[in-house]
Amino acid sequence: MDAVAEGLWGLADYEEKKGEVGKAVKCLEAICQSQVSFLPIIEIKTRLRIATLLLNHSNNVNHAKSHLERSQLLLKSIPSCFELKCRAYSLLSQCYQLVGAIPSQKQILNKGLELISTSEDGFSGRLWYCNFNSQLANALTIEGDHHGSISALDNGLMCATQMCYPELQMFFATSILHVHLMQWENESSVRDALNRCNVIWESIELEKRQQCLGLLFYNELLHVFYLLRICDYKNAGQHVDKLDAAMKSDLQRRQQINELSKELDAVNESLSRSDLNYRDRSALSAKQAHLEEQLSNLTGNDKELSEPIYFGSARRTWEDKLELAPPPVDGEWLPKGAIYALIDLTVTVFNRPKGLFKECLKRIQSGLQTVQEELKKYGILDGMREVDLQHSAIWIASVYLMLLMHFLENKVAVDLTRSEFVEAQEGLVQMRNWYIRFPTILQASECVIEMLRGQYAHCVGCYDEANYHFLEASRLSENKSMQAMCFVYAAISYICMGDAESSAKALDLIGPVLGVMDSFTGVREKTSVLLAHGFLLMRQQNLQEARNRLAFGLQTTHNTLGNLQLVSQYLTVLGNLGLALRDTVQAREILRSSLTLAKKLNDIPTQIWVLSNLTAMYQQLGEKGSEMKNLDYQTKKVEDLQKRMSSACLSSHHVELIAKVKSEAHQLSETDIKRAISGPSMRVDLDIPESIGLSVTSPMASSSRLMDIDMGRLRKRKA
């Protein structure tokens, strides 16, 4: 019967290579369903092969799980077969994770670790030990047990160190850093984890580092997440540039590979002709060998190391995978398409505070195109809802859907900054519609959508509605930083309403944030609340205290954030304050600087506010020519803004976006929520400093605004 099994295995391999996966499975199932008994070892190998095919090529996780559970029962009666037992445990663990059975997953992984502890299988055993600890750490992270996750990863790191395997050490070191970034108990722990990554990475030979593209992307992205979180833009820049250069280089390599592959296919087709003469065949054979050598140099050992990987029913080849660790660990953070989109997003987030909107919009468009193409591959088309998703597809769907929402959020923020209100409406409506269709996966986006609705309402002068949405967003988030920013935004809307009662409400919101502003990581919240408080003090005629607050906030913003819009708004308030204090020399210089920045950002409301202050100043100084010239330019800007606001208010989306009603959607069960939000894409937030806009009483009516939303405040609410 061994010969029969060998024949069916060979036939299954042949059918799989042709892409006939169903026929391959049938060949293998013929062994399991045979009335004639095969040896247990043959049945075990066959069932493992079937499970692998099902996991790689289909959504039939439960069928694969059944084969693996049967294999596990058969393996219990066999004293040896270490590799087969480890493979069965590993695959079964993956199945349990895909169906959300985390307790069963932990149980099977602990059995695997127990097996290794009684084995003397040397190097192979250590690799499996690393595999099981890596999977266990992921399972513990899903359950929210970050300390347990770090402990499992530390075990893997210790084992990799004993093996003198720096690339594997780097995999565990970066994974530990990732968990610390998620948990963020204290900055020193995160910094220590980051420094360990730096030491291990430098210990790897340069040539090997260049081959570890997955680790390079993973390490550099985690560095960017950390540096943006602490608002260290200066040092983050070099990591963003390194990521972008590596991505462009890899894209160029892939393009060369595709071109060479097409050329090689054409040569192979020509060689298949039977009427070729000897000279032509020799020339084509030489060209074939040359092309194969070029392809081999470009691809390295990728094809050997990376067995095709599949999520759901969408096939992913070796080109789509960024490995973090060698088999059998096979670590992978995100698919390559998601990494590329994340790099586009990172470049967008880094450039947006600088006002580089042209580059931002280019990257947003590139990222959206990548994400939409990937969503289409996984069958997430127009009209599909969360309930239509296969359970095993939830994780990969969450990766791309969250990226999609991040890109749309940044697009809305840029559009609001540029006073493109109609385009901002369209982006907001898209975000809301995606959330309604996928409320569990996109649960963390709910508070951001409300905050953006508040931003939009504020921009078009609907301050009461803006307050509602900001405060609603604060209630939807349990993150202290997000709540603080929402309170600051709501306070500014109250200040812009202008009456004494609203100013009192603004102070009630600002006061608690002022009291804890030094407790936040970075200075994002601090610079925002200082601007709001300084503006409020100026309104209350407490001019000297207002100047002190604003000067300190401006210095902090300039030294750490480099956020041009926030700097522009600080300068505008200080310029207005200078006029109130009769310091026209300083006011003139400050307001001109603010106007230059506002023009660069195409921030029309801030331009109008600055121009109105300059007009008032020229009037005080009796500079009639400058006053009339300035007033003429100011009038044109006011007309431009009014036209944009009118178009927005006439849109069919305007009323529904500012309405005091939050978006409602049906949530799935608590278990499914945990499964949906546990993917790696949810594990790190990109903290970006906010810009906020203000309005003041001026000789001419001007609009106030609240701008430049942070893309990275997608904090998940606790289920």
Side-chain angles (χ1 to χ4, degrees), residues 1-15:
M1 296 302 292
D2 287 0
V4 174
E6 291 283 355
L8 287 169
W9 286 345
L11 185 58
D13 288 340
Y14 173 74
E15 294 294 349

Side-chain angles (χ1 to χ4, degrees), residues 693-714:
L694 315 164
S695 70
V696 296
T697 304
S698 60
M700 289 189 65
S702 65
S703 294
S704 55
R705 72 190 312 166
L706 195 73
M707 303 305 308
D708 203 17
I709 289 299
D710 167 25
M711 62 74 61
R713 310 308 304 174
L714 295 191

Side-chain angles (χ1 to χ4, degrees), residues 467-699:
N467 284 327
Y468 170 85
H469 291 296
F470 289 136
L471 295 176
E472 187 63 34
S474 72
R475 284 189 286 270
L476 290 170
S477 175
E478 292 190 0
N479 177 261
K480 299 299 182 185
S481 175
M482 178 64 142
Q483 290 173 348
M485 293 307 302
C486 289
F487 290 154
V488 170
Y489 293 154
I492 291 172
S493 290
Y494 276 125
I495 296 171
C496 291
M497 293 172 79
D499 59 275
E501 183 182 353
S502 296
S503 294
K505 290 180 179 178
L507 186 58
D508 289 341
L509 290 169
I510 291 173
V513 181
L514 280 170
V516 297
M517 64 181 182
D518 290 317
S519 67
F520 294 105
T521 301
V523 295
R524 176 175 168 271
E525 298 80 8
K526 185 174 185 175
T527 53
S528 298
V529 75
L530 286 174
L531 176 60
H533 191 220
F535 183 50
L536 179 60
L537 289 170
M538 186 182 73
R539 279 292 190 87
Q540 295 173 336
Q541 296 303 306
N542 191 345
L543 302 184
Q544 195 55 52
E545 180 63 21
R547 172 178 273 188
N548 293 338
R549 285 281 183 180
L550 292 166
F552 178 63
L554 175 61
Q555 183 180 15
T556 306
T557 303
H558 178 72
N559 291 341
T560 57
L561 300 182
N563 186 319
L564 296 188
Q565 189 177 30
L566 193 56
V567 169
S568 173
Q569 290 164 350
Y570 261 109
L571 290 172
T572 305
V573 181
L574 281 166
N576 187 267
L577 191 59
L579 289 179
L581 292 168
R582 305 286 181 178
D583 187 354
T584 53
V585 175
Q586 189 180 51
R588 184 195 298 262
E589 183 180 344
I590 290 173
L591 290 170
R592 283 180 174 174
S593 297
S594 178
L595 184 60
T596 300
L597 291 176
K599 284 181 177 179
K600 179 178 179 178
L601 296 164
N602 197 32
D603 184 350
I604 299 174
T606 300
Q607 288 182 52
I608 293 171
W609 186 15
V610 176
L611 290 167
S612 67
N613 282 314
L614 286 171
T615 300
M617 183 189 71
Y618 293 138
Q619 198 172 40
Q620 286 180 22
L621 297 173
E623 299 180 14
K624 197 66 178 177
S626 297
E627 178 189 346
M628 297 308 295
K629 182 179 179 181
N630 197 75
L631 186 59
D632 182 56
Y633 184 57
Q634 179 184 338
T635 302
K636 289 179 181 177
K637 287 295 176 183
V638 170
E639 290 174 353
D640 182 17
L641 182 62
Q642 288 176 342
K643 187 183 299 182
R644 292 167 184 260
M645 292 177 68
S646 295
S647 297
C649 293
L650 291 172
S651 166
S652 59
H653 300 307
H654 173 73
V655 174
E656 60 184 279
L657 287 176
I658 67 169
K660 294 183 179 182
V661 179
K662 73 171 187 175
S663 302
E664 296 289 348
H666 174 68
Q667 297 283 348
L668 296 183
S669 68
E670 181 177 347
T671 302
D672 285 332
I673 289 174
K674 286 183 178 179
R675 174 73 190 119
I677 67 176
S678 64
S681 66
M682 300 288 295
R683 294 180 180 176
V684 177
D685 294 323
L686 301 182
D687 289 335
I688 305 306
E690 308 283 355
S691 291
I692 49 180
L694 315 164
S695 70
V696 296
T697 304
S698 60

Side-chain angles (χ1 to χ4, degrees), residues 203-229:
S203 72
I204 302 173
E205 296 176 9
L206 180 60
E207 186 177 347
K208 287 186 177 179
R209 264 186 270 161
Q210 293 172 343
Q211 295 171 0
C212 299
L213 190 61
L215 281 174
L216 184 147
F217 282 136
Y218 193 27
N219 185 43
E220 292 297 327
L221 280 166
L222 293 177
H223 274 67
V224 171
F225 297 157
Y226 168 75
L227 293 168
L228 293 184
R229 178 75 181 271

Side-chain angles (χ1 to χ4, degrees), residues 224-244:
V224 171
F225 297 157
Y226 168 75
L227 293 168
L228 293 184
R229 178 75 181 271
I230 64 172
C231 300
D232 187 353
Y233 275 75
K234 183 177 180 181
N235 286 314
Q238 58 184 317
H239 293 281
V240 173
D241 291 341
K242 191 181 292 186
L243 279 167
D244 200 31

Side-chain angles (χ1 to χ4, degrees), residues 278-559:
Y278 176 78
R279 179 181 294 179
D280 290 341
R281 186 173 294 279
S282 296
L284 285 171
S285 296
K287 187 175 182 180
Q288 180 191 48
H290 180 63
L291 289 171
E292 287 175 343
E293 183 182 359
Q294 286 182 289
L295 273 172
S296 178
N297 291 335
L298 283 171
T299 59
N301 295 323
D302 289 346
K303 289 187 179 181
E304 296 174 21
L305 292 179
S306 300
E307 177 183 319
I309 297 298
Y310 308 87
F311 283 101
S313 58
R315 178 166 178 157
R316 298 176 54 228
T317 64
W318 62 273
E319 294 177 321
D320 300 316
K321 188 179 180 186
L322 284 168
E323 282 192 336
L324 300 180
V329 181
D330 281 332
E332 183 188 28
W333 178 31
L334 295 172
K336 187 178 282 190
I339 292 291
Y340 285 167
L342 187 54
I343 292 172
D344 276 333
L345 185 61
T346 303
V347 173
T348 300
V349 166
F350 186 72
N351 285 332
R352 207 185 77 210
K354 300 177 182 179
L356 302 176
F357 296 144
K358 186 176 180 180
E359 176 67 14
C360 287
L361 291 171
K362 175 184 172 185
R363 293 305 184 114
I364 289 170
Q365 189 58 42
S366 169
L368 283 173
Q369 183 177 347
T370 299
V371 169
Q372 287 163 353
E373 286 174 357
E374 294 296 327
L375 287 174
K376 191 177 292 185
K377 285 182 186 177
Y378 298 107
I380 301 175
L381 307 170
D382 293 340
M384 175 178 273
R385 292 181 174 269
E386 201 165 69
V387 293
D388 302 322
L389 282 176
Q390 291 277 349
H391 201 290
S392 57
I394 288 178
W395 178 78
I396 193 63
S398 72
V399 169
Y400 288 109
L401 287 170
M402 286 301 300
L403 283 169
L404 177 71
M405 294 296 270
H406 279 310
F407 280 115
L408 289 174
E409 181 186 347
N410 274 268
K411 178 70 164 57
V412 171
V414 171
D415 288 337
L416 288 176
T417 303
R418 297 164 63 241
S419 301
E420 299 289 351
F421 303 130
V422 174
E423 290 188 26
Q425 285 179 351
E426 293 172 357
L428 258 173
V429 169
Q430 285 187 58
M431 290 183 73
R432 187 195 60 188
N433 290 343
W434 279 107
Y435 166 70
I436 289 172
R437 287 168 57 193
F438 297 92
T440 307
I441 291 173
L442 299 178
Q443 185 184 22
S445 299
E446 186 180 14
C447 62
V448 174
I449 292 170
E450 285 301 307
M451 187 169 69
L452 284 170
R453 290 175 71 184
Q455 293 279 2
Y456 169 77
H458 186 105
C459 286
V460 295
C462 301
Y463 304 128
D464 186 48
E465 290 84 351
N467 284 327
Y468 170 85
H469 291 296
F470 289 136
L471 295 176
E472 187 63 34
S474 72
R475 284 189 286 270
L476 290 170
S477 175
E478 292 190 0
N479 177 261
K480 299 299 182 185
S481 175
M482 178 64 142
Q483 290 173 348
M485 293 307 302
C486 289
F487 290 154
V488 170
Y489 293 154
I492 291 172
S493 290
Y494 276 125
I495 296 171
C496 291
M497 293 172 79
D499 59 275
E501 183 182 353
S502 296
S503 294
K505 290 180 179 178
L507 186 58
D508 289 341
L509 290 169
I510 291 173
V513 181
L514 280 170
V516 297
M517 64 181 182
D518 290 317
S519 67
F520 294 105
T521 301
V523 295
R524 176 175 168 271
E525 298 80 8
K526 185 174 185 175
T527 53
S528 298
V529 75
L530 286 174
L531 176 60
H533 191 220
F535 183 50
L536 179 60
L537 289 170
M538 186 182 73
R539 279 292 190 87
Q540 295 173 336
Q541 296 303 306
N542 191 345
L543 302 184
Q544 195 55 52
E545 180 63 21
R547 172 178 273 188
N548 293 338
R549 285 281 183 180
L550 292 166
F552 178 63
L554 175 61
Q555 183 180 15
T556 306
T557 303
H558 178 72
N559 291 341

